Amino acid sequence: MFDQLVAKLPVGICVVDEQYRLQYLNAFFLDRMRPDQRHNYLQQPLISIFPEQAKFLTRRIKSVFVLQHPSFSYWEQRAHIFPFKSSRPITGEETQMYQNMEIVPISGPSSEQKLACIILQDVTAQASYLMAQQELASALKQEHTAQRKLIKKLDSAQSQLIQAEKMASTGQLAAGIAHEINNPIGFVTANLATLKDYSEQLLNLCDALADKLQVTSPSLAQFSAQTMDTYHYELLKEDISPLVDESCEGLNRVRDIVENLKQFALEESTGWQLFNLHETTQQLVKLVGAQYKAPVYKVSCNPPNLQIFCEPASIKQALTNILINAAQSIKCKGFVKIDIRATAQRVSIKVIDSGVGISAENIKKIFDPFFTTKPEGMGQGLGLSVAYTAIEKHKGKIIANSNPGRGTVVEILVPVVHPEQRHECAEPLGGS
Amino acid sequence: MSTESVLTADQRDALQELMNISMGQAANSLAHLIETKIGISIPKIASVTPEQLFSMISEQADAYYTRQSFLGDIQGEVMSVVSQQGLCEVGALLEYDAPLSQTDIQEIILELSNILAGACLAGLSAQLALGTNLNMPTLFSPRKANFEEFQWSNSLVMEVQFDIEISSFSMRVVFCLDDASLDRLTQTLDELLG
């Protein structure tokens, strides 16, 4: 009865003697062996029939004989000890059987005879379930990482958006103020011109009166000369015209600045269009120069009045941010030079300054959002990151090189785009 | 950590002596199997709380851990602390090809734990004429297990350290007994002491 029981057990039973020769195999083993091996396995060396893991099996069986203590092996570390097929050859997914093995010491019919019994369990189902779970877990983990990255990207995009919106509303505000300033400047300028005429006429009148008195009444002439002296007439006459002229010049300058600001801010160019890079850069320099007076500015453009096809708003934004950074890097004396060159393929805009420069460690991070070396509250660290995004939108590159203490060069490279290629660069604006 | 509450001085001495003998046998078996000299420390016997057990087995940095339960006349668990240092040399002694893969390392740790814990337990059981059966070992990470939630407050532990001479490798085997087994053990010790 026990023979039948052992033969029918759903686990593999294999018994070897101290020379590793087979003494018994149950049906679990026999069913999975080649037909020619099934009948004369007795007394055959185990490893001649199962040579696949000979070294491992020999060592483990030896350990059992020496220590008289069970030995274990798991599918996680060693999946296939015996070359058996999966228990479900038709519907199963695993082709090879995953096995847990236990070798236990037993004794033969005569109790001196030492034997080792290999007990083999088919754990394919468990193993494939566990492996599927692990795969699932790793897929989930990957997805999770990807999502985190996306969230981070989204965060930085959002802050750039906020910044851009701030800039836009600042621009609109500036345009509004510029418009308001224009009206008083208009009448002040007109009045000042009239005032200049009036003052000249007044002076002429005084001179004419004095001349006439000299001739007609010497006593009155003396009185008039005394009175003129009392009110410093000569000084007034000398000073009044340069004063008025200087004021007119000052007003002209204010008008220029306001005009530039208006042009710059009011441009509602959200789409792609031809744009005069040279002229805009000059306007920009005037604007930035009004705020940062330390450096000397110079703009060169080859060819002059270069027109490029781009999205003007973002290019202007990028240029402004780079230019402001260059201007801020100069503490008391120095220059900021903008060098624009165009070839048939691409446009290069170099912004060169003789400022404090950027350390090698920092230069790697200058295009990262929120990176700033300014004291807290003085800058958000978004300027160059916004510039970077703008240039990227034009499929261009932006490169910064710096020599700390001597200056920095930021170069923008954008490919030349022709208006007929616009659909490749910008989003389609509708059916053609 | 004290033993007064659980074992009398005589019982303690007797157990210590039995441990000495059985551990020596275990070391001999292993030495025979891997053909190298093995040193053993004097066994330590103590009664510990779960926290003490945790600090006992996790005091060593860079270690692998396994656990294995045993059933029979006395029941409990064996935890093994295997040093990461010197494992390559041991791998070579066990005829593994260098470099060791992650699964090779796991297999070596499990096999070493099984051999040593098995030999110790078999020796001790034989000395005390008690029947025990050791179950398969599994990898274990004490930092992930919640020692504070263990269902016992005090346990008798027996600890022994093995060193392999040719390398910096060392391994500690810690036996923990449950309460019923402790009674059975003291009873057996008393019988031996006469």
Side-chain angles (χ1 to χ4, degrees):
Chain A
M1 187 190 81
F2 279 112
D3 282 351
Q4 285 179 43
L5 185 77
V6 174
K8 295 270 187 271
L9 276 181
V11 294
I13 304 283
C14 163
V15 178
V16 295
D17 67 6
E18 277 187 283
Q19 282 74 46
Y20 312 126
R21 288 180 309 216
L22 289 166
Q23 304 300 309
Y24 175 78
L25 290 172
N26 77 344
F28 185 96
F29 269 92
L30 292 171
D31 290 348
R32 290 168 172 81
M33 280 158 57
R34 286 211 318 270
D36 61 303
Q37 291 175 331
R38 279 180 200 162
H39 300 295
N40 38 22
Y41 68 84
L42 273 176
Q43 297 302 331
Q44 295 288 321
L46 169 71
I47 57 169
S48 72
I49 297 187
F50 301 110
E52 290 77 11
Q53 293 276 344
K55 197 170 143 191
F56 172 74
L57 275 172
T58 311
R59 195 178 69 229
R60 286 300 176 95
I61 296 170
K62 181 184 171 194
S63 138
V64 170
F65 279 124
V66 171
L67 302 175
Q68 284 301 299
H69 173 64
S71 176
F72 304 93
S73 161
Y74 309 102
W75 69 268
E76 282 109 320
Q77 282 91 41
R78 203 172 286 268
H80 317 293
I81 300 167
F82 295 94
F84 295 157
K85 291 271 179 294
S86 152
S87 50
R88 270 170 288 168
I90 312 296
T91 58
E93 284 165 12
E94 307 298 335
T95 51
Q96 270 201 298
M97 183 198 290
Y98 284 77
Q99 296 155 348
N100 277 356
M101 182 183 73
E102 186 174 346
I103 309 176
V104 292
I106 55 174
S107 51
S110 65
S111 59
E112 284 99 69
Q113 195 194 7
K114 281 184 184 172
L115 297 171
C117 174
I118 299 173
I119 302 166
L120 194 71
Q121 266 185 294
D122 177 358
V123 288
T124 310
Q126 189 191 338
S128 57
Y129 175 72
L130 245 141
M131 285 188 294
Q133 268 207 330
Q134 275 167 2
E135 259 172 52
L136 200 68
S138 84
L140 264 174
K141 206 175 154 192
Q142 264 184 0
E143 208 165 294
H144 182 71
T145 328
Q147 262 178 1
R148 284 190 81 109
K149 259 190 206 161
L150 267 177
I151 288 173
K152 219 173 148 190
K153 248 185 168 171
L154 210 66
D155 267 354
S156 96
Q158 193 193 20
S159 53
Q160 282 187 17
L161 210 67
I162 291 172
Q163 181 64 7
E165 214 147 282
K166 252 195 231 163
M167 293 294 253
S169 52
T170 314
Q172 270 171 10
L173 193 68
I177 293 171
H179 186 74
E180 291 304 316
I181 290 175
N182 248 358
N183 286 332
I185 282 180
F187 68 76
V188 171
T189 311
N191 289 357
L192 209 59
T194 320
L195 214 56
K196 192 181 170 179
D197 281 354
Y198 285 0
S199 64
E200 276 166 12
Q201 283 174 23
L202 265 175
L203 289 175
N204 288 342
L205 173 70
C206 289
D207 286 346
L209 280 176
D211 287 350
K212 190 71 185 168
L213 285 177
Q214 201 82 49
V215 181
T216 53
S217 158
S219 60
L220 269 177
Q222 201 185 346
F223 168 76
S224 126
Q226 269 172 2
T227 316
M228 279 175 160
D229 258 7
T230 314
Y231 291 100
H232 309 293
Y233 175 72
E234 283 306 316
L235 194 72
L236 279 180
K237 190 179 164 186
E238 216 171 280
D239 227 15
I240 203 160
S241 139
L243 271 180
V244 172
D245 285 348
E246 269 173 40
S247 301
C248 284
E249 207 185 295
L251 271 178
N252 278 340
R253 261 168 58 195
V254 171
R255 202 188 53 206
D256 273 2
I257 291 171
V258 168
E259 202 52 41
N260 276 330
L261 193 62
K262 238 171 83 180
Q263 270 192 22
F264 198 71
L266 271 181
E267 197 130 21
E268 285 175 11
S269 46
T270 45
W272 284 60
Q273 50 186 259
L274 269 178
F275 156 79
N276 190 326
L277 186 61
H278 190 187
E279 198 183 276
T280 309
T281 309
Q282 280 170 329
Q283 283 174 8
L284 205 58
V285 162
K286 272 189 200 162
L287 270 176
V288 174
Q291 200 182 345
Y292 301 98
K293 297 195 173 69
V296 176
Y297 296 87
K298 198 183 159 201
V299 179
S300 65
C301 184
N302 186 22
N305 278 316
L306 176 67
Q307 301 255 339
I308 61 169
F309 187 68
C310 67
E311 203 184 42
S314 64
I315 289 284
K316 274 186 191 172
Q317 184 75 70
L319 264 176
T320 316
N321 293 351
I322 293 167
L323 211 56
I324 288 176
N325 273 16
Q328 283 174 339
S329 79
I330 288 155
K331 296 294 172 249
C332 46
K333 238 175 115 181
F335 65 82
V336 172
K337 212 173 116 182
I338 299 114
D339 188 29
I340 304 168
R341 282 160 207 268
T343 65
Q345 283 83 37
R346 65 182 186 182
V347 180
S348 145
I349 308 165
K350 270 189 193 166
V351 179
I352 306 156
D353 71 63
S354 62
V356 290
I358 306 162
S359 73
E361 188 194 333
N362 284 344
I363 205 151
K364 284 179 269 175
K365 295 183 270 185
I366 55 169
F367 297 116
D368 293 352
F370 304 112
F371 176 78
T372 179
T373 55
K374 290 173 193 158
E376 205 174 313
M378 299 298 281
Q380 291 106 322
L382 283 167
L384 286 180
S385 133
V386 167
Y388 189 87
T389 316
I391 299 306
E392 219 177 29
K393 217 154 79 182
H394 288 79
K395 294 191 166 34
K397 272 196 298 190
I398 177 161
I399 309 155
N401 280 303
S402 185
N403 194 341
R406 305 202 41 194
T408 304
V409 180
V410 177
E411 186 174 18
I412 298 173
L413 290 167
V414 282
V416 169
V417 178
H418 297 288
E420 58 270 25
Q421 292 175 297
R422 64 193 295 183
H423 294 296
E424 291 165 29
C425 305
E427 288 150 330
L429 298 171
S432 53
Chain B
M1 278 191 260
S2 70
T3 54
E4 282 87 39
S5 52
V6 273
L7 291 178
T8 65
D10 282 348
Q11 286 171 339
R12 205 188 104 99
D13 287 348
L15 184 59
Q16 178 106 41
E17 195 46 41
L18 290 177
M19 290 275 293
N20 260 335
I21 297 168
S22 54
M23 300 302 158
Q25 286 171 344
N28 271 343
S29 313
L30 183 64
H32 181 58
L33 188 70
I34 62 176
E35 288 157 4
T36 186
K37 269 195 171 178
I38 290 173
I40 50 169
S41 70
I42 295 172
K44 284 184 221 161
I45 300 170
S47 170
V48 296
T49 62
E51 295 89 63
Q52 284 168 332
L53 177 63
F54 176 76
S55 57
M56 202 172 143
I57 64 168
S58 57
E59 68 186 12
Q60 186 178 347
D62 307 329
Y64 298 111
Y65 301 88
T66 67
R67 60 177 167 189
Q68 208 167 352
S69 68
F70 55 90
L71 298 171
D73 290 335
I74 53 171
Q75 308 189 346
E77 266 186 82
V78 198
M79 292 180 210
S80 303
V81 184
V82 183
S83 74
Q84 294 183 0
Q85 255 185 349
L87 201 65
C88 292
E89 285 94 332
V90 180
L93 287 174
L94 289 171
E95 295 168 41
Y96 279 85
D97 297 326
L100 298 176
S101 71
Q102 194 56 38
T103 52
D104 284 344
I105 290 173
Q106 289 176 356
E107 203 172 70
I108 292 169
I109 298 160
L110 289 169
E111 192 179 1
L112 277 175
S113 308
N114 185 49
I115 290 172
L116 278 177
C120 293
L121 186 71
L124 194 63
S125 308
Q127 297 286 327
L128 291 164
L130 296 169
T132 51
N133 273 309
L134 198 58
N135 292 321
M136 45 178 30
T138 51
L139 294 169
F140 171 55
S141 110
R143 274 165 232 288
K144 282 186 197 158
N146 196 347
F147 276 66
E148 283 166 18
E149 285 183 5
F150 284 2
Q151 297 292 312
W152 48 271
S153 54
N154 261 285
S155 166
L156 183 74
V157 297
M158 296 169 269
E159 182 194 356
V160 67
Q161 179 165 338
F162 294 84
D163 301 288
I164 289 182
E165 287 210 338
I166 57 139
S167 78
S168 51
F169 177 81
S170 74
M171 178 168 157
R172 291 191 294 147
V173 178
V174 181
F175 283 88
C176 309
L177 289 182
D178 65 13
D179 283 345
S181 304
L182 186 62
D183 290 344
R184 183 68 198 262
L185 180 73
T186 49
Q187 211 181 320
T188 312
L189 285 170
D190 285 343
E191 280 166 22
L192 280 175
L193 287 164

